[in-house]
């Protein structure tokens, strides 16, 4: 970031009043109090993560219109917000397809390789930790990215059931998932504190949605917080 951009980010993080409207976009108002969760040491809230997801969705559409973007980085993604997995998992109590069965239809996309390459969804674990779940049709696997290195096979099992239910519901057929794998990588960027999981989750989504290799670490989190503040204020991924 340039000196001017760093100054703008600092102002957004520390000089906005809680009820100041920073931006109105995607039928949402992001307030100063939302931006304050991007201050160093703070836990990101749903509003910030969901706004980032919306901007990634918009960027994806731009990428497909821009032939200078390498083909590898043009990935057909279905993005869900932070409430999707909470509903699918019945707030951690089990599995509830009925509560999300219209979510893909709202975006006019099928959860099927004919329509998407990846389905990307943040996961809130027990209201204390953010992670990222991905349904990867390109590699036929259910992926889980946790900056603390934990497993969550229940989440992946729910996603597997979800794909089967979606295809049954919208295509009227059984979907063969026998070759699909569960993928919970341990050699990914890890957090070294108790507050940056939301930033890691947002950056996992950012990179996964463009098939980019993770090349960041805990040391980059203060920079990413400032960058995310600028992106939100401008309404577009940098």
């Amino acid at each position: 970031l340039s000196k001017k951009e760093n100054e703008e980010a600092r102002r957004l993080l520390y000089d906005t009043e809680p009820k100041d409207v920073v931006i109105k976009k995607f039928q949402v108002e992001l307030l100063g109090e939302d931006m304050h969760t991007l201050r160093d040491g703070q836990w990101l809230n749903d509003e910030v993560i969901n706004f980032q997801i919306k901007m990634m969705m918009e960027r994806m559409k731009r990428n497909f219109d821009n032939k200078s973007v390498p083909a590898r980085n043009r990935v057909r993604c279905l993005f869900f917000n932070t409430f999707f997995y909470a509903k699918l998992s019945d707030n951690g109590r089990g599995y509830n397809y009925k509560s999300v069965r219209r979510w893909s239809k709202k975006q006019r996309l099928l959860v099927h390789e004919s329509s998407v390459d990846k389905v990307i969804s943040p996961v809130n674990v027990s209201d204390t930790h953010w992670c990222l779940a991905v349904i990867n049709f390109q590699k036929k696997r259910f992926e889980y990215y946790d900056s603390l290195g934990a497993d969550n096979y229940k989440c992946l099992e729910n996603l597997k059931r979800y794909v089967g239910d979606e295809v049954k519901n919208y295509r009227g057929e059984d979907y063969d998932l026998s070759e699909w794998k569960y993928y919970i990588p341990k050699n990914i960027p890890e957090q070294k504190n108790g507050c940056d999981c939301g930033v890691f989750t947002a950056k996992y989504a950012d990179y996964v949605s463009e098939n980019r290799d993770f090349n960041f670490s805990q040391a980059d989190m203060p920079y990413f917080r400032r960058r995310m503040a600028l992106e939100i204020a401008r309404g577009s991924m940098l």
Side-chain angles (χ1 to χ4, degrees), residues 26 28-31 33-35 37-38 42-55 80-87 91 103 121-131 197-199 201-202 228 232:
F26 308 125
V28 173
E29 285 185 349
L30 257 283
L31 305 179
E33 62 191 13
D34 300 314
M35 302 301 282
T37 70
L38 283 165
Q42 299 299 308
W43 209 65
L44 265 59
N45 67 7
D46 292 273
E47 287 76 12
V48 165
I49 293 176
N50 289 335
F51 204 86
Q52 283 276 310
I53 291 289
K54 287 281 191 182
M55 291 190 294
F80 288 134
N81 66 25
T82 55
F83 306 112
F84 168 77
Y85 187 72
K87 288 183 174 295
N91 288 313
W103 281 51
S121 175
V123 175
N124 184 326
V125 182
S126 304
D127 279 335
T128 59
H129 187 50
W130 290 113
C131 299
C197 55
V199 188
T201 296
M228 289 166 70
I232 288 169

Side-chain angles (χ1 to χ4, degrees), residues 42 44 54 61 119 126 148 169 181 224:
Q42 299 299 308
L44 265 59
K54 287 281 191 182
K61 293 170 183 174
V119 179
S126 304
L148 289 178
N169 187 30
K181 302 283 193 295
F224 280 140

Side-chain angles (χ1 to χ4, degrees), residues 118-120 132-136 141-145 159 208:
K118 295 180 179 181
V119 179
I120 295 174
L132 187 76
V134 178
I135 301 168
N136 190 333
R141 65 191 190 189
F142 300 96
E143 303 172 354
Y144 190 76
Y145 298 91
L159 294 180
V208 164

Side-chain angles (χ1 to χ4, degrees), residues 93-115:
R93 290 188 292 267
Y95 178 81
N96 185 356
Y97 175 65
K98 186 185 289 187
S99 67
V100 296
R101 66 187 174 93
R102 297 189 188 278
W103 281 51
S104 61
K105 190 176 182 181
K106 286 178 189 172
Q107 295 192 40
R108 298 177 184 170
L109 288 171
L110 282 174
V111 178
H112 188 271
E113 71 260 24
S114 63
S115 182

Side-chain angles (χ1 to χ4, degrees), residues 2-227:
S2 67
K3 182 180 178 182
K4 186 177 179 182
E5 287 173 327
N6 271 312
E7 289 172 355
E8 183 185 349
R10 192 207 66 77
R11 180 187 64 77
L12 288 163
L13 294 177
Y14 293 97
D15 294 346
T16 49
E17 294 295 324
K19 297 304 177 185
D20 285 351
V21 177
V22 175
I23 186 171
K24 188 173 183 178
K25 189 175 181 180
F26 308 125
Q27 299 178 311
V28 173
E29 285 185 349
L30 257 283
L31 305 179
E33 62 191 13
D34 300 314
M35 302 301 282
H36 297 169
T37 70
L38 283 165
R39 292 173 179 173
D40 290 338
Q42 299 299 308
W43 209 65
L44 265 59
N45 67 7
D46 292 273
E47 287 76 12
V48 165
I49 293 176
N50 289 335
F51 204 86
Q52 283 276 310
I53 291 289
K54 287 281 191 182
M55 291 190 294
M56 290 175 207
M57 192 186 310
E58 195 173 68
R59 178 185 64 187
M60 174 192 71
K61 293 170 183 174
R62 284 200 310 271
N63 284 351
F64 276 95
D65 292 333
N66 183 357
K67 298 309 176 191
S68 66
V69 174
R72 179 178 187 267
N73 304 129
R74 295 200 299 265
V75 186
R76 301 174 303 167
C77 295
L78 172 57
F79 293 94
F80 288 134
N81 66 25
T82 55
F83 306 112
F84 168 77
Y85 187 72
K87 288 183 174 295
L88 179 70
S89 66
D90 199 17
N91 288 313
R93 290 188 292 267
Y95 178 81
N96 185 356
Y97 175 65
K98 186 185 289 187
S99 67
V100 296
R101 66 187 174 93
R102 297 189 188 278
W103 281 51
S104 61
K105 190 176 182 181
K106 286 178 189 172
Q107 295 192 40
R108 298 177 184 170
L109 288 171
L110 282 174
V111 178
H112 188 271
E113 71 260 24
S114 63
S115 182
V116 297
D117 300 313
K118 295 180 179 181
V119 179
I120 295 174
S121 175
V123 175
N124 184 326
V125 182
S126 304
D127 279 335
T128 59
H129 187 50
W130 290 113
C131 299
L132 187 76
V134 178
I135 301 168
N136 190 333
F137 284 95
Q138 291 177 323
K139 295 189 174 180
K140 291 190 175 181
R141 65 191 190 189
F142 300 96
E143 303 172 354
Y144 190 76
Y145 298 91
D146 185 336
S147 55
L148 289 178
D151 295 333
N152 191 343
Y153 287 101
K154 179 60 179 174
C155 172
L156 301 186
E157 288 164 8
N158 280 342
L159 294 180
K160 187 174 184 178
R161 284 182 68 182
Y162 169 71
V163 171
D165 285 341
E166 277 283 285
V167 175
K168 189 78 170 175
N169 187 30
Y170 288 108
R171 291 174 65 95
E173 59 193 44
D174 293 323
Y175 192 59
D176 183 9
L177 291 163
S178 60
E179 293 181 14
W180 284 58
K181 302 283 193 295
Y182 290 158
Y183 178 71
I184 306 179
K186 302 302 180 184
N187 58 338
I188 61 174
E190 290 188 353
Q191 71 185 94
K192 306 296 183 184
N193 60 26
C195 58
D196 278 330
C197 55
V199 188
F200 275 92
T201 296
K203 297 322 288 181
Y204 293 152
D206 180 11
Y207 280 62
V208 164
S209 67
E210 291 194 318
N211 276 341
R212 288 183 281 138
D213 297 329
F214 298 148
N215 63 353
F216 55 88
S217 70
Q218 175 67 57
D220 296 307
M221 293 302 114
Y223 159 73
F224 280 140
R225 285 175 177 272
R226 296 191 301 274
R227 181 183 173 116

